[in-house]
Amino acid sequence: MTAPVEGFSKFTKAEKITWLANNYTSNPEETKKLLKRYWNSDAQLQQLHDEFIENTITNYYLPLGVAPNFLINDQLHVIPMAIEESSVVAAVSKAAKFWLPRGGFKTKVISTEKIGQVHFMFRGDPKKLQGFFDKIQPILIKDAAPITKNMDKRGGGVTKITLRDCTNDLPNYYQLHCCFETLDAMGANFINSCLEQFATTLKRESQRYEPFTETEKAIEVVMSILSNYVPNCLVKAEVSCPVDQLTLSKKVTPQVFAEKMVRAIQIAKVAPYRAVTHNKGIMNGIDAVVIATGNDFRAVEAGVHAYAAKDGQYTSLTHAKVAAGTFSFWIEIPLALGTVGGLTKLHPLVKLALEILGKPSAKELMQIVAVAGLAQNFAAVSSLVTTGIQEGHMKMHLMNILNQLGANAEEKKKLVAHFKTNTVTHSAAAAAFEKLKNKE
Ligand code: MEV
């Protein structure tokens, strides 16, 4: 076993790579070459990437694709998507094209509230704590003013602080539940800085509060942190058209297609095993745009899935209905996104993605991202209820299989042509490749 390493973070990049390659790979020279192949030839750009995180040894690429023809509130958009999974970009592009002549996507931001909490323990009289809280509210706001000044000027800031008694869940446990408006910023640093200041004020003022006993004065702040659960930072995206315009599949009539779509959504609403996969498909679309625009996809994932379970059972994030001959399909999801701060000014491709999107505000980006999720779900579920997912998916995956098999450009061309009229499976591709090789 390799001995633990001392002072690794202080090693130079080359030293880190040498240590890693020597101790954890079978061919250190090959490892070094491989890692170097992924370095950017522009040293300055490489340094920028090296400094995004810690202990960087190389870059890890994700393909950046684009999905054109998205009509959103009567404006055309091209949506950049960073994702490794084949067929996602094709699927959303297909959905965009389908809805283009049918009015496109209609979207609306419902709310933009962000949340953070100071979690603390108070051992004493809850009524006295409430009295104390009422007294210090203006002091909490005043003490945080140096942090909130700029945000306040732009129309954002702290919108509400409430004291929450959580002692039914955990003895002596209370929260300062704080609401924020962070405008075009995702706001994590702003919120966390405000919360840490609130915690300092809370402790300091409790020690000075005469009605408190010595035990009551000893408020124990456990932690101060934003919540990624943002059920009041909501966006809605919708498509709708007369049922007879649902001419998507040669296999079923528009009427049957609409019924099958509605049924599939009903299933995702009541069956958690299906709901998870259904929502995973939605996140294929959402995460890809979130990543391309330099936002935090883990935060989005956590918040979205919590929202999907908000009523006690994990359920579908999309909804469908047929009413008065019209098919409607929509999504309502919480999305805490930013178009300023974070990576938005740092990462050249993030800057480009935002430019392609027309330099959106955070609210506009929420709408675009929701559309990508809805489009992906529409495409996935419409395949599932008609041809099945594999037909389209495997066609898109064919190139990965051919690359795995080691096909050259000419062979790929021939095999792609062959599979235009044949079903793609891994074994069928291997067999066709073998046959081609034998012929050559
Ligand atoms: C695959 O990445 C996503 C799907 O499974 C989504 C779905 O089943 O709705 C196709």
Side-chain angles (χ1 to χ4, degrees):
M1 205 174 83
T2 315
V5 59
E6 283 281 331
F8 185 72
S9 65
K10 308 260 169 356
F11 287 9
T12 63
K13 183 168 158 184
E15 286 166 347
K16 282 175 188 145
I17 290 172
T18 301
W19 177 84
L20 181 77
N22 288 345
N23 289 297
Y24 286 91
T25 70
S26 56
N27 189 336
E29 284 320 303
E30 276 306 309
T31 300
K32 286 182 199 170
K33 269 197 229 152
L34 175 66
L35 292 174
K36 222 170 168 172
R37 270 222 306 279
Y38 280 85
W39 290 359
N40 200 294
S41 54
D42 177 338
Q44 219 183 337
L45 196 58
Q46 184 53 53
Q47 191 179 346
L48 182 74
H49 284 265
D50 285 351
E51 290 172 0
F52 283 155
I53 63 162
E54 309 75 39
N55 297 344
T56 311
I57 52 172
T58 193
N59 307 306
Y60 187 97
Y61 292 167
L62 274 185
L64 178 67
V66 288
N69 296 324
F70 270 98
L71 189 63
I72 306 177
N73 299 338
D74 302 321
Q75 277 207 316
L76 264 182
H77 288 271
V78 175
I79 300 190
M81 304 178 80
I83 185 163
E84 86 300 343
E85 184 175 336
S86 52
S87 85
V88 171
V89 177
V92 296
S93 304
K94 197 173 156 196
K97 202 167 161 197
F98 177 79
W99 286 106
L100 182 64
R102 292 170 178 80
F105 295 78
K106 301 288 180 223
T107 61
K108 164 166 110 197
V109 171
I110 297 166
S111 50
T112 57
E113 182 184 83
K114 313 271 170 63
I115 301 291
Q117 297 168 321
V118 178
H119 304 267
F120 66 96
M121 313 310 270
F122 170 77
R123 294 165 184 88
D125 179 354
K127 281 205 196 78
K128 271 160 83 179
L129 182 64
Q130 185 64 53
F132 164 70
F133 172 71
D134 293 342
K135 180 163 180 275
I136 67 157
Q137 266 222 54
I139 310 174
L140 290 169
I141 300 288
K142 191 168 136 271
D143 283 359
I147 306 166
T148 61
K149 200 171 65 190
N150 285 338
M151 195 63 94
D152 290 340
K153 255 194 242 156
R154 284 183 271 133
V158 184
T159 54
K160 199 170 171 193
I161 309 178
T162 48
L163 173 69
R164 287 194 169 178
D165 182 338
C166 309
T167 52
N168 282 338
D169 301 322
L170 188 68
N172 308 318
Y173 171 39
Y174 295 83
Q175 297 168 346
L176 291 186
H177 184 87
C178 312
C179 305
F180 300 85
E181 170 54 61
T182 61
L183 305 169
D184 283 338
M186 192 267 193
N189 284 329
F190 170 74
I191 293 173
N192 289 334
S193 299
C194 288
L195 293 171
E196 290 188 4
Q197 179 57 55
F198 294 160
T200 305
T201 303
L202 179 76
K203 281 181 73 166
R204 187 193 67 220
E205 292 301 317
S206 70
Q207 275 146 25
R208 291 181 187 161
Y209 190 61
E210 279 317 316
F212 276 167
T213 63
E214 285 312 303
T215 313
E216 287 169 333
K217 281 181 181 172
I219 280 181
E220 180 200 339
V221 171
V222 181
M223 58 194 159
S224 309
I225 188 73
L226 96 167
S227 172
N228 292 120
Y229 184 44
V230 281
N232 292 320
C233 189
L234 270 189
V235 58
K236 182 177 178 188
E238 181 170 11
V239 283
S240 65
C241 72
V243 167
D244 59 16
Q245 286 183 20
L246 289 172
T247 49
L248 195 93
S249 165
K250 291 192 188 84
K251 301 208 166 169
V252 292
T253 64
Q255 186 63 41
V256 170
F257 176 77
E259 280 164 18
K260 280 176 175 274
M261 289 295 285
V262 171
R263 190 89 66 240
I265 303 302
Q266 284 168 343
I267 289 171
K269 285 197 182 201
V270 300
Y273 276 95
R274 171 58 199 148
V276 170
T277 312
H278 179 91
N279 291 346
K280 186 275 182 188
I282 294 171
M283 299 316 288
N284 279 345
I286 289 182
D287 283 343
V289 192
V290 169
I291 294 171
T293 56
N295 276 280
D296 180 344
F297 70 94
R298 287 86 53 209
V300 168
E301 283 274 348
V304 165
H305 293 296
Y307 188 75
K310 73 179 188 325
D311 296 323
Q313 176 177 315
Y314 191 89
T315 187
S316 168
L317 292 161
T318 51
H319 314 271
K321 70 169 187 217
V322 172
T326 298
F327 170 78
S328 311
F329 187 63
W330 71 100
I331 188 168
E332 202 178 273
I333 39 161
L335 288 172
L337 301 175
T339 54
V340 298
L343 278 193
T344 55
K345 281 225 162 53
L346 273 182
H347 196 306
L349 288 176
V350 168
K351 274 204 273 185
L352 178 68
L354 289 169
E355 187 186 340
I356 291 169
L357 288 171
K359 302 205 169 104
S361 64
K363 276 185 174 178
E364 285 162 345
L365 186 59
M366 284 167 78
Q367 297 169 74
I368 293 163
V369 171
V371 163
L374 185 70
Q376 166 60 38
N377 188 237
F378 179 78
V381 178
S382 48
S383 292
L384 285 169
V385 299
T386 54
T387 55
I389 206 75
Q390 283 309 82
E391 186 180 295
H393 184 76
M394 289 309 281
K395 278 224 155 62
M396 297 298 154
H397 191 56
L398 177 62
M399 204 45 79
N400 288 338
I401 301 175
L402 298 182
N403 280 331
Q404 262 175 36
L405 294 170
N408 63 30
E410 191 52 34
E411 289 159 349
K412 282 185 202 166
K413 211 166 129 191
K414 285 186 183 150
L415 289 165
V416 167
H418 168 77
F419 280 108
K420 279 219 153 49
T421 48
N422 289 282
T423 305
V424 182
T425 63
H426 201 284
S427 51
F433 179 53
E434 209 41 53
K435 203 164 151 198
L436 187 68
K437 282 227 132 334
N438 289 339
K439 257 202 223 156
E440 279 168 0

